[in-house]
Amino acid sequence: MLKEDKNYVRICECMEIRGTLKRIQKSGLGDLFETCTFENYKAVEPWQIKIKSKAEKFLNDSDKNWFYIGGQVGSGKTHICTAIVVKLLNQGKGSRYMLWRDEVVRLKSLIMNKEEYFKAINPLKISKVLYIDDFFKTEKGKEPTTSEINIAFEILNYRYINNDLITIISSEKSIDDLLYIDEATGSRIYERTKKYCTYVKQDRKKNYRLTGF
């Protein structure tokens, strides 16, 4: 008795690569994909080695949740966070990049239009991986406005409640700064990033744009 012929469908390697590239472009990190890698992150000084080690441990932690790095301008915060996101994208995890200062302006402009506001903010809330770059970045001498704080809380509280969502944040602010701005938001970030929270002390010598380290 002959067995019935069976057809099997398998996604080829080229399809997987194309899928990854699409996710990268959709995330908003396309321009940084090739340069901001772990291989290109120069870890020479002890503080740099610590940052890279913590990022690698985060990736290998099955219970990874949130990653936070704050502090000195030009110290490689965006680089290391992008490197993490690219690794997660390559693992097939849908990711989004949010440049805080630009995106929050757009969201504020939509607040009065509930439908458009929902369309804009919901993808940031539900994305498997969300990277917020330059969190709470404002003009010099100014604090985040009430509406900006409310938007931050809406996004991060949703992700805080949904434990399977991975959140990565870079900022010039320390955790103490965040707690001062808004304790509800800051404490959620602190709780989720205890294991993977780094602050680079303010020191112009750590600005690679000036020193080229």
Coordinates of all heavy atoms in Angstrom, one line a residue, residues 54 117 133 142 176:
K54 N 27.2 44.3 30.8 CA 25.8 44.3 31.3 C 24.9 44.1 30.1 O 23.8 43.4 30.3 CB 25.6 45.6 32.0 CG 24.3 45.6 32.8 CD 24.2 46.8 33.8 CE 25.1 46.5 35.0 NZ 24.8 47.5 36.1
Y117 N -4.5 59.6 17.7 CA -3.6 59.5 18.9 C -3.4 58.0 19.2 O -2.3 57.5 19.4 CB -4.2 60.2 20.1 CG -3.3 60.1 21.4 CD1 -2.2 60.8 21.5 CD2 -3.8 59.2 22.4 CE1 -1.4 60.7 22.7 CE2 -3.0 59.1 23.5 CZ -1.8 59.8 23.7 OH -1.1 59.7 24.8
D133 N 14.9 56.4 22.9 CA 16.2 57.1 22.9 C 16.1 58.5 23.4 O 15.1 59.2 23.0 CB 16.8 57.0 21.5 CG 18.2 57.4 21.4 OD1 18.9 57.5 22.4 OD2 18.7 57.6 20.3
K142 N 14.8 73.4 31.0 CA 13.4 73.1 31.1 C 13.2 71.7 31.5 O 14.0 70.8 31.3 CB 12.7 73.3 29.7 CG 12.7 74.8 29.3 CD 11.9 75.0 28.0 CE 11.8 76.4 27.6 NZ 11.0 76.6 26.4
D176 N 17.5 59.0 39.8 CA 17.1 60.0 40.7 C 16.4 61.2 40.0 O 15.4 61.7 40.5 CB 18.2 60.5 41.5 CG 18.6 59.5 42.6 OD1 17.8 58.6 43.0 OD2 19.8 59.6 43.1

